[in-house]
Every structure is written in C-alpha cells, then in structure tokens.
Amino acid sequence: SCIRSNSNRAAISHLHRQLYGRLYPVLLVNTDGSTVRLRYSEPKRILMMPLDSSTLPEAERKARLRRHFPSKPKAKEEEIFEGIDLDTYKKFWKK
C-alpha cells in the first residue's frame, strides 16, 4: 500500500501528529527579574521561573508561605436575641 505524504493529505482529514510545529512568542521572567523572549509550544504571554525558597531569608520565606496557605477563617459566634418584645410584632401574625 502506498501512502501519500504531501500537503493534499491534510486537506482530506486532520493532521495525524501528536505535536504541532507552531511555536508562540513568550516572555520568560527569571527569578532575578531579567526577561528573555523565546518561542514556546503553548500560547502564553508570560512564563515565570519558580523561585527557590531555600535562598530566601527566613522571614520572607514564612511570609510567602502565609500568603500561599492562609489560615482557616475562625467560626463566628451566633448572636442570641433574648430581649425581644413579641407584642411589637403581634400585628404581623395571622389571626
């Protein structure tokens, strides 16, 4: 069986490939703040390199952890209404 591998084959059906040849212009931001323009396989505007937390001072490392993993909100106490005068709302009751 002879398989034609030319541009007409793609017009009949879809392209049979796992990765596509299109590369998108992307801005890569390094941890020191420098930027580099490169071509990337996914259409993104900015890629940021991960920050190495072992090089940070202890106070800044804890501050970053607090921002990423905030503490759980505390449960609020319910308000208890003890001194309600029921005679003021008597007009709204059905007779």
Side-chain angles (χ1 to χ4, degrees), residues 1-16:
S1 68
C2 179
I3 297 175
R4 256 189 182 173
S5 297
N6 58 16
S7 63
N8 297 332
R9 181 170 176 246
I12 298 169
S13 66
H14 68 281
L15 293 174
H16 299 283

Side-chain angles (χ1 to χ4, degrees), residues 48-65:
M48 294 183 70
M49 296 297 289
L51 183 65
D52 187 15
S53 62
S54 63
T55 60
L56 293 175
E58 188 66 28
E60 191 173 342
R61 182 182 310 139
K62 287 183 180 179
R64 288 179 71 84
L65 283 174

Side-chain angles (χ1 to χ4, degrees), residues 14-74:
H14 68 281
L15 293 174
H16 299 283
R17 40 175 115 144
Q18 296 291 326
L19 298 173
Y20 294 94
R22 171 93 164 103
L23 296 175
Y24 301 91
V26 174
L27 186 69
L28 176 71
V29 180
N30 292 323
T31 56
D32 61 351
S34 63
T35 59
V36 177
R37 291 208 173 265
L38 53 90
R39 300 183 67 74
Y40 193 64
S41 61
E42 297 178 16
K44 296 182 177 183
R45 289 190 178 201
I46 295 177
L47 281 177
M48 294 183 70
M49 296 297 289
L51 183 65
D52 187 15
S53 62
S54 63
T55 60
L56 293 175
E58 188 66 28
E60 191 173 342
R61 182 182 310 139
K62 287 183 180 179
R64 288 179 71 84
L65 283 174
R66 266 188 258 118
R67 273 185 290 177
H68 284 290
F69 304 106
S71 62
K72 294 180 182 178
K74 296 179 181 176

